[in-house]
């Protein structure tokens, strides 16, 4: 498959992109490089190669949930633009 100006314009339209002529020419080059790379990958013999989902053998490696820093209620409210004694005050979003 060859990438031409019409193909770039169609893809740009589908992606809702506005490209000028210089950008279209650059996109032709970039998309052609991508297709060339894919063609090169298709030349590889992958017979007997298991599909790879994860790059490592580890699954669901989780870290311990450790509290690193605690601040007081007062410190949490210090930088709030508006607050009362206990809560952040924000503009009403939902009307009744």
């Amino acid at each position: 498959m060859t990438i031409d100006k019409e193909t770039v314009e169609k893809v740009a339209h589908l992606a809702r992109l506005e490209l000028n002529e210089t950008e279209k020419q650059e996109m032709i080059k970039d998309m052609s490089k991508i297709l060339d790379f894919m063609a090169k990958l298709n030349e590889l013999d992958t017979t007997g190669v298991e599909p790879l989902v994860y790059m490592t053998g580890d699954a669901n490696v989780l870290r311990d949930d450790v509290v690193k820093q605690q601040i007081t209620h007062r410190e949490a409210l210090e930088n709030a633009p508006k607050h009362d004694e206990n809560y952040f005050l924000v503009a009403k979003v939902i009307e009744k």
Side-chain angles (χ1 to χ4, degrees):
M1 178 180 184
T2 58
I3 301 295
D4 57 6
K5 187 176 174 182
E6 290 175 5
T7 305
V8 169
E9 288 172 348
K10 182 177 179 180
V11 171
H13 173 73
L14 292 173
R16 305 295 189 255
L17 298 173
E18 292 181 16
L19 302 174
N20 61 35
E21 289 304 314
T22 306
E23 292 170 327
K24 287 178 186 176
Q25 293 303 317
E26 288 297 316
M27 195 62 64
I28 289 171
K29 292 176 190 174
D30 290 344
M31 291 173 78
S32 294
K33 286 180 183 178
I34 291 169
L35 289 179
D36 291 344
F37 182 70
M38 294 305 296
K40 189 173 280 195
L41 288 177
N42 286 333
E43 294 173 5
L44 294 174
D45 180 19
T46 58
T47 307
V49 176
E50 292 294 320
L52 181 66
V53 176
Y54 300 105
M55 296 304 290
T56 66
D58 300 335
N60 294 331
V61 178
L62 304 174
R63 64 172 173 80
D64 291 334
D65 191 13
V66 178
V67 176
K68 301 235 181 207
Q69 175 185 6
Q70 291 182 331
I71 60 174
T72 66
H73 200 84
R74 193 179 100 254
E75 290 172 329
L77 294 171
E78 272 182 8
N79 292 322
K82 293 183 180 179
H83 61 85
D84 63 11
E85 295 297 318
N86 297 308
Y87 303 102
F88 295 103
L89 299 176
V90 295
K92 184 176 177 180
V93 186
I94 302 173
E95 295 182 20
K96 290 184 179 181

